[in-house]
Amino acid sequence: MSILMTKQELFDNKVSKVMPMHIGNVYDKRMKAVEGYIDLFSVHPFSGSEVGTVLDDVVSTRGKMIRPRLLLLASEFGSACKTAQDRLCKLAAIVEMTHMASLIHDDIVDDSDYRRGKPSIQKKYGKDAAVYAGDFLMGRISYYMMKEAMNRAGIVLSKTIEAMCAGEIGQAMCRYKEDVTVEEYLNNIHGKTVALFMACCRIGAMESGCDERMVRNLELFGECLGLMFQIRDDLLDFTSDVLTIGKSAHKDFQEGIYTMPILCAMKQPGGREALIPFMRRNAEGALTLQEMFQMETAVTRLGGVEAAWQEIKKRQWQAEAIADELPQCEYSRLLLKLVRKLGTV
């Protein structure tokens, strides 16, 4: 199969549809418990208020719950997995609540009107209510981790939240920066996205009794998976059909966030000369739809899209090597299927 796809095929093949394909129905029974704990941990006394409406909206509008599923999957390699089921489900609920809070805050910082094609929380209810709701969730996370004496997992999650903030700050510092490097981009996505994938794997393995070598291997697998997930997500944003979708296409580029396809193209001979004029007009808010299409064409011609896919494949090969070192069982095969599906064009 060619490394390239039509823009519409890429747009239709969303990451959120890829990952749960191999993990979605494996933990449906246990996920009922996770969802129950999310409901319990997010109970609030704000009924009838804007903040209460935000919390109800966020908690009821659940996605594929990839992160808690990943935590539960990593826990299968530990000797105490069966006896620690309830605790693991609570931790899975907590990592999903962390993700929920981070999305609320990200949309506020980015001033985003939409999240996955639907109006964002801050667009629907205002920034004040969104801020309070996100902070409330983070407070509940801290409370229940201390209440349940989840000290080791709490340390991991606290450092993860720090890394997520650092990634978002780093990305903000790189906005509209013409000389941003691939290394800076990777550092930023490592914080804002990859860190939570790693934490899910580490917490799941650690809390189920895995030894440190197993914990580290699963954490490294989560790192590869998170990198693949974010690079692919960035690539899908870049390859959305600008002439059909219009201003909602190339959202990252329009916001001055230059992702892997752009940065790889910039490294090619003639890449900077071809792309910097578009970047400067974009920073001035003067880039037209036709010019965005021309920019996309230049990036593709310079090999930026293909190079981004090759980076995904590189991380896939690393993840496969890690999976080969895990005990060969139903769950290691599941991880292998997952990473291969995510690495498929």
Side-chain angles (χ1 to χ4, degrees):
M1 183 182 293
S2 169
I3 197 75
L4 301 178
M5 300 175 70
T6 68
K7 288 189 285 292
Q8 192 58 50
E9 286 173 321
L10 279 166
F11 186 70
D12 290 341
N13 192 20
K14 288 294 187 183
V15 177
S16 61
K17 295 179 181 177
V18 173
M19 294 197 65
M21 187 173 294
H22 290 295
I23 59 177
N25 60 359
V26 175
Y27 295 113
D28 283 350
K29 186 173 182 180
R30 288 167 67 184
M31 288 305 294
K32 294 291 185 184
V34 173
E35 291 175 356
Y37 280 123
I38 292 173
D39 292 337
L40 174 65
F41 294 167
S42 59
V43 167
H44 62 81
F46 311 124
S47 181
S49 71
E50 288 186 342
V51 174
T53 304
V54 171
L55 289 167
D56 292 342
D57 190 336
V58 170
V59 171
S60 64
T61 310
R62 291 169 189 154
K64 300 297 184 179
M65 307 257 281
I66 293 165
R67 290 154 190 83
R69 292 180 192 274
L70 189 59
L71 185 151
L72 294 177
L73 183 54
S75 75
E76 293 288 351
F77 294 90
S79 59
C81 177
K82 296 295 184 288
T83 57
Q85 285 290 306
D86 188 59
R87 184 178 178 88
L88 288 163
C89 287
K90 290 175 180 176
L91 285 163
I94 284 169
V95 297
E96 182 64 12
M97 288 172 67
T98 302
H99 178 57
M100 289 174 179
S102 74
L103 293 182
I104 294 173
H105 286 153
D106 289 352
D107 286 342
I108 295 166
V109 172
D110 296 340
D111 199 24
S112 297
D113 289 343
Y114 295 94
R115 162 71 57 182
R116 298 293 186 196
K118 297 180 180 179
S120 66
I121 291 296
Q122 65 100 12
K123 174 68 174 178
K124 287 196 287 186
Y125 304 111
K127 291 183 185 296
D128 289 353
V131 168
Y132 294 143
D135 289 351
F136 179 83
L137 287 175
M138 293 307 298
R140 281 297 178 86
I141 288 163
S142 297
Y143 170 77
Y144 278 103
M145 294 204 85
M146 288 187 283
K147 182 176 183 289
E148 299 289 337
M150 298 171 173
N151 297 340
R152 289 199 305 162
I155 291 170
V156 173
L157 192 59
S158 294
K159 293 299 293 182
T160 298
I161 293 169
E162 177 185 329
M164 291 166 73
C165 292
E168 291 291 347
I169 293 167
Q171 180 174 277
M173 292 173 65
C174 289
R175 289 185 69 186
Y176 300 105
K177 185 178 174 184
E178 294 176 4
D179 59 348
V180 63
T181 64
V182 171
E183 290 70 29
E184 287 175 304
Y185 162 78
L186 290 173
N187 283 337
N188 293 339
I189 69 170
H190 201 281
K192 60 178 259 184
T193 299
V194 179
L196 191 54
F197 276 75
M198 294 176 70
C200 290
C201 290
R202 169 164 278 276
I203 291 171
M206 183 176 69
E207 292 287 333
S208 66
C210 291
D211 61 35
E212 184 53 37
R213 185 170 182 272
M214 180 75 73
V215 170
R216 183 58 180 156
N217 278 342
L218 285 163
E219 184 178 42
L220 290 173
F221 183 90
E223 180 178 36
C224 294
L225 199 66
L227 285 165
M228 293 175 69
F229 184 92
Q230 186 61 57
I231 295 170
R232 182 171 179 136
D233 202 38
D234 291 343
L235 186 57
L236 290 170
D237 173 81
F238 180 80
T239 50
S240 298
D241 194 335
V242 67
L243 295 182
T244 301
I245 301 168
K247 283 293 185 181
S248 63
H250 298 311
K251 185 173 179 291
D252 289 332
F253 188 88
Q254 291 183 70
E255 294 178 353
I257 300 169
Y258 303 129
T259 55
M260 186 65 77
I262 300 288
L263 300 179
C264 290
M266 292 275 283
K267 292 170 67 175
Q268 300 304 311
R272 290 183 62 81
E273 292 81 359
L275 296 176
I276 282 182
F278 294 114
M279 295 165 79
R280 289 178 178 170
R281 282 186 58 75
N282 181 63
E284 296 167 358
L287 203 63
T288 66
L289 288 177
Q290 186 60 39
E291 286 172 323
M292 278 200 289
F293 178 73
Q294 291 169 354
M295 176 276 296
E296 178 190 309
T297 302
V299 169
T300 303
R301 174 177 55 79
L302 289 161
V305 173
E306 184 168 358
W309 274 113
Q310 292 296 349
E311 184 67 24
I312 292 172
K313 298 299 290 185
K314 172 185 169 184
R315 304 299 175 175
Q316 176 188 337
W317 298 327
Q318 291 172 349
E320 288 181 0
I322 295 167
D324 286 342
E325 293 185 16
L326 297 173
Q328 297 305 294
C329 59
E330 174 190 355
Y331 305 107
S332 56
R333 289 191 291 272
L334 200 57
L335 288 174
L336 201 56
K337 287 181 181 179
L338 171 59
V339 78
R340 285 175 177 169
K341 185 65 181 178
L342 192 57
T344 300
V345 178

